[in-house]
Amino acid sequence: MAEITIKDVASLAGVSAATASRVLSGNPATSPGARARVAAAITELDYRPNAQARALRSTRSDSIGLLVSDVRNPFFADLAHTVEQAALSEGYVTLLGNANERKEQQDRYLDTLISRRVDGIIVAPLGDGSGSIASLIEREIPTVFVDRTVDGIDVPSVTTDSEAGIRQAVEHLSSVGHTRIGYISGPQATSTGRERFAAFTSAVADTGLSQDPELVYFGDFQAASGSAGVHALLDLDEPPTALLAADSLMAVGALAILHKRGLRIGTDIAMIAFDDVEWFALLNPALSVISHSVEDMGRLAVEMLLQVIAGGTPESVVLPSELIIRASSSSPISPSAGLRPRKN
Amino acid sequence: MAEITIKDVASLAGVSAATASRVLSGNPATSPGARARVAAAITELDYRPNAQARALRSTRSDSIGLLVSDVRNPFFADLAHTVEQAALSEGYVTLLGNANERKEQQDRYLDTLISRRVDGIIVAPLGDGSGSIASLIEREIPTVFVDRTVDGIDVPSVTTDSEAGIRQAVEHLSSVGHTRIGYISGPQATSTGRERFAAFTSAVADTGLSQDPELVYFGDFQAASGSAGVHALLDLDEPPTALLAADSLMAVGALAILHKRGLRIGTDIAMIAFDDVEWFALLNPALSVISHSVEDMGRLAVEMLLQVIAGGTPESVVLPSELIIRASSSSPISPSAGLRPRKN
DNA sequence: TGTGTTCATGGAATCGTTTCCATGGAATCG
DNA sequence: CGATTCCATGGAAACGATTCCATGAACACA
């Protein structure tokens, strides 16, 4: 019951707490004899140093915070895994938070992370620079943004160049004959939502496709909004013949509704999703995607965070994205496409 | 730069640190005047209490550890999300660890969690009761097992009754004419791996299907082993006409290879997976699954952990599993099934 | 007015470490 | 052999909060 402290170890080993501490931290100013006896006492008592006390005294907690919108999103699950493993190999544990795309949850979690005195924070931020993000900066807490950025906040980041992938996707769809592409957008409160929407808009304009504003549905990066988006877009008087979803979750929601409405993907309607997910290739027809490397993103984020913790100011990194064409978008536009099934 | 402590708050408010602390913790022995001035000082200084110091003195850290095998597994991602949200709503933050189905990683993480003095641990355990699991018990650290158990370790748990679902699956496959079912098993180092394997074995025997030991491939719950399993099973002299995978990740790996080998799922070979995943229903043909409720599991685990922390000893819970039949397994056995494609 | 009670408050101890500083014995050097 | 350096060691302070205990002001009651 009673906590075993370093004093217990020290007295069993016949040394002072100071010496025991030195042995524990590998301080060279210790005799071999003391080292041996302390080591023996530690295993004998199964002593585990109290990380709280250690953190209090040494002002480092050997923990980092990771705040994403939702680990159920395969993209963030991958990221969480990579970050956690990379951090662990450097001796840090990871506190995971889900903001669920809600600013108040993000702020709440950031507050907790600040209170816990984590050594650094990796966050896929949401909203503007107000609220707890500002506290982070003001307190000079080492922070790295992943996937997203915040306007006006100067923090190292690892992001994806969505522009290139989106442009390739639009041009590809245009090349197989589509002129009305429906876009299921991410929320404009996120930088990725804005950037991808802007990329879509400009690519559509440059390619000479329809710029009908009704062809854009604003979702929230969660599956349900993808479903709602498909309903909205297909119920237009002139529905699109191809769909582009700004993340994998909305794509899943969209696919479910396409199935339910009896539309054959790749034949009746083309579909492309942002974010690659292993099993998208297993769908029949396989889903075309805009792919980017989550592993690189996670690894780099941890690397950069460690640099910031060490006092450096690493350069932000922008990773490439690229279109991977699969069966869901490669057939030429079907003659029946564009007709509303209910009218058949 | 300099940390803002409770003393700064106290002196700005013109009270002692003791009084400031009382205001902070809502202790009634404080005057309205003091409360107001302390509150003002807190916002003025943007003071955040140091959770480390607080934890040191009060011996509770308001954090729990969650150790799963891999958050990239949708089942554990769901679980992580549910647990994190449930814990947060009770004022706890969640430390997430990935053991990657490796005992040494599990032990390493448990050690860290013990050192951090988390208030409780939720773990999907691996292996026997040796190593750090034993330390957990000995130190009486509140622990709840999820999904899996460990023989001989008496800890409250939330698990699934795999038996029922597996039996339904085997009977269903038998009813549509299959006699040789290939089983891609989980590792025998996990209770779920063992339990599901045992359920399969006995169901096959009871139904009078082939008990050929070659029809079982032992994987490790990760995607790659599902792929390897399909190769091994299809290369048998008498390959199975139906496959049952013990988790979703191995099912994904299996599906990928089935595709690659040109086998039509539901026609050339039937397939059923343990664990429901939203998008399994989106596959074409949709995948039959054995489903169980992850939300219930996560919610109950947190609930039970809080009870243990409060000194209680909650009863273990076993959740039901059930077969959901979709197109991947519902067609009668095809005449060509069972033939090795390469021999055609 | 004196005694007793209530109650907000401050001082000081405490949690388990790390780390600064002083000490004293051994070793080295001239 | 005396003086100097080296180095392992222990005592004590510090980290930032909480909490026990004592204090003294305010108030009530007889």
Side-chain angles (χ1 to χ4, degrees):
Chain A
M1 196 70 260
E3 278 285 317
I4 292 165
T5 78
I6 199 169
K7 288 184 188 163
D8 301 318
V9 172
S11 63
L12 179 59
V15 299
S16 73
T19 300
S21 169
R22 275 185 285 258
V23 171
L24 234 71
S25 61
N27 189 314
T30 46
S31 67
R35 276 197 290 273
R37 278 177 323 204
V38 170
I42 287 175
T43 42
E44 164 76 20
L45 298 173
D46 192 22
Y47 164 73
R48 312 291 172 112
N50 184 323
Q52 320 275 12
R54 182 180 294 199
L56 179 57
R57 180 60 226 247
S58 56
T59 61
R60 53 191 311 248
S61 63
D62 293 315
S63 59
I64 65 168
L66 172 65
L67 186 53
V68 300
S69 71
D70 191 340
V71 266
R72 290 173 302 181
N73 182 330
F75 172 77
F76 288 119
D78 271 16
L79 190 69
H81 184 261
T82 316
V83 165
E84 188 270 328
Q85 294 286 299
L88 188 64
S89 80
E90 301 287 341
Y92 290 85
V93 294
T94 304
L95 282 117
L96 172 72
N98 294 111
N100 292 317
E101 301 291 2
R102 301 242 300 275
K103 189 153 192 306
E104 71 273 16
Q105 283 210 38
Q106 166 174 290
D107 279 355
R108 173 161 183 205
Y109 227 100
L110 287 178
D111 285 348
T112 329
L113 293 177
I114 294 174
S115 257
R116 309 248 155 206
R117 302 295 192 271
V118 292
D119 294 335
I121 297 181
I122 296 178
V123 53
L126 180 71
D128 54 11
S130 66
S132 300
I133 296 263
S135 298
L136 230 53
I137 308 305
E138 202 194 335
R139 286 164 188 271
E140 299 177 11
I141 296 175
T143 303
V144 166
F145 288 157
V146 273
D147 185 50
R148 309 170 177 177
T149 59
V150 173
D151 282 349
I153 302 284
D154 184 28
V155 153
S157 62
V158 194
T159 54
T160 298
D161 169 30
S162 317
E163 165 87 29
I166 298 253
R167 183 164 292 270
Q168 286 173 42
V170 169
E171 287 168 357
H172 159 65
L173 288 172
S174 165
S175 76
V176 289
H178 296 279
T179 56
R180 291 179 63 79
I181 304 176
Y183 181 65
I184 303 179
S185 169
Q188 300 301 293
T190 63
S191 65
T192 42
R194 290 191 300 274
E195 184 189 337
R196 290 174 197 174
F197 173 55
F200 173 77
T201 311
S202 88
V204 158
D206 293 352
T207 322
L209 305 184
S210 167
Q211 301 180 48
D212 185 349
E214 287 197 321
L215 287 174
V216 175
Y217 178 88
F218 290 97
D220 63 1
F221 278 150
Q222 316 247 36
S225 70
S227 302
V230 169
H231 279 308
L233 293 172
L234 292 186
D235 287 346
L236 292 176
D237 286 332
E238 267 190 279
T241 59
L243 290 177
L244 180 52
D247 88 334
S248 63
L249 245 40
M250 294 194 300
V252 168
L255 290 172
I257 299 303
L258 292 176
H259 270 281
K260 191 177 280 180
R261 291 177 72 135
L263 288 172
R264 288 164 303 166
I265 293 158
T267 310
D268 298 329
I269 191 159
M271 173 99 202
I272 300 181
F274 205 104
D275 284 351
D276 198 7
V277 178
E278 191 183 5
W279 53 267
F280 276 169
L282 302 180
L283 293 171
N284 187 11
L287 193 67
S288 299
V289 295
I290 298 165
S291 156
H292 52 146
S293 169
V294 193
E295 281 73 23
D296 287 350
M297 187 172 275
R299 199 176 34 73
L300 282 167
V302 172
E303 217 167 84
M304 287 165 60
L305 185 62
L306 293 179
Q307 287 178 38
V308 178
I309 291 173
T313 51
E315 287 293 309
S316 290
V317 174
V318 178
L319 299 171
S321 66
E322 88 184 299
L323 177 68
I324 298 180
I325 300 174
R326 302 202 184 103
S328 74
S329 70
S330 47
S331 311
I333 182 170
S334 117
S336 72
L339 294 183
R340 298 171 67 181
R342 64 178 60 172
K343 287 189 174 170
N344 283 2
Chain B
M1 197 73 263
E3 278 284 319
I4 293 165
T5 76
I6 200 168
K7 289 184 188 162
D8 301 319
V9 171
S11 63
L12 178 59
V15 298
S16 74
T19 301
S21 169
R22 275 186 285 258
V23 171
L24 233 71
S25 60
N27 188 314
T30 47
S31 67
R35 276 198 290 274
R37 280 185 323 232
V38 170
I42 286 175
T43 42
E44 163 77 19
L45 297 174
D46 193 22
Y47 164 73
R48 314 288 173 114
N50 184 322
Q52 320 275 12
R54 190 186 295 222
L56 179 58
R57 179 61 224 248
S58 57
T59 59
R60 55 192 310 249
S61 64
D62 294 314
S63 58
I64 66 168
L66 172 65
L67 186 54
V68 300
S69 70
D70 190 342
V71 266
R72 290 173 303 181
N73 182 330
F75 172 76
F76 288 120
D78 271 16
L79 190 69
H81 184 262
T82 315
V83 165
E84 189 268 330
Q85 294 285 299
L88 188 64
S89 79
E90 300 287 342
Y92 290 85
V93 294
T94 305
L95 281 121
L96 172 72
N98 294 111
N100 293 317
E101 300 292 1
R102 302 242 298 275
K103 187 151 193 308
E104 70 274 15
Q105 284 209 38
Q106 166 173 290
D107 278 355
R108 175 166 182 201
Y109 228 100
L110 288 178
D111 285 348
T112 332
L113 292 177
I114 294 174
S115 256
R116 310 246 154 207
R117 303 293 192 270
V118 291
D119 294 335
I121 297 181
I122 296 178
V123 53
L126 181 70
D128 54 11
S130 66
S132 299
I133 296 263
S135 298
L136 230 54
I137 308 305
E138 203 194 334
R139 287 162 189 272
E140 300 177 7
I141 296 175
T143 302
V144 166
F145 287 157
V146 273
D147 185 50
R148 308 169 178 179
T149 58
V150 173
D151 282 349
I153 302 284
D154 183 29
V155 153
S157 62
V158 194
T159 53
T160 298
D161 169 30
S162 316
E163 164 87 30
I166 299 254
R167 183 164 292 269
Q168 287 174 41
V170 168
E171 287 168 357
H172 158 64
L173 288 172
S174 165
S175 76
V176 290
H178 296 279
T179 57
R180 290 180 64 79
I181 304 176
Y183 181 64
I184 304 179
S185 168
Q188 301 301 291
T190 63
S191 65
T192 42
R194 290 191 300 273
E195 184 189 336
R196 291 173 196 174
F197 174 54
F200 174 77
T201 310
S202 88
V204 157
D206 293 352
T207 322
L209 305 183
S210 167
Q211 303 180 47
D212 184 348
E214 286 196 320
L215 287 174
V216 175
Y217 178 87
F218 290 97
D220 63 2
F221 278 150
Q222 316 247 35
S225 70
S227 303
V230 169
H231 278 308
L233 293 172
L234 292 185
D235 288 346
L236 291 177
D237 286 333
E238 266 189 282
T241 58
L243 290 177
L244 179 52
D247 87 334
S248 63
L249 245 40
M250 294 194 300
V252 169
L255 290 171
I257 299 303
L258 291 176
H259 270 282
K260 190 177 280 179
R261 292 177 73 136
L263 288 172
R264 287 165 304 166
I265 293 158
T267 310
D268 297 329
I269 191 159
M271 173 98 204
I272 300 182
F274 205 104
D275 283 351
D276 197 7
V277 177
E278 191 182 4
W279 53 267
F280 275 169
L282 302 180
L283 292 172
N284 188 11
L287 192 68
S288 300
V289 295
I290 298 166
S291 155
H292 51 148
S293 168
V294 193
E295 282 73 23
D296 287 350
M297 186 172 275
R299 198 174 35 71
L300 282 168
V302 172
E303 216 168 86
M304 286 165 61
L305 185 63
L306 293 179
Q307 287 177 37
V308 178
I309 290 173
T313 52
E315 288 292 309
S316 291
V317 174
V318 178
L319 300 170
S321 67
E322 87 184 300
L323 177 67
I324 298 181
I325 300 174
R326 303 201 184 104
S328 74
S329 70
S330 47
S331 312
I333 182 170
S334 115
S336 70
L339 293 184
R340 297 173 66 183
R342 64 178 60 172
K343 289 190 172 170
N344 284 2

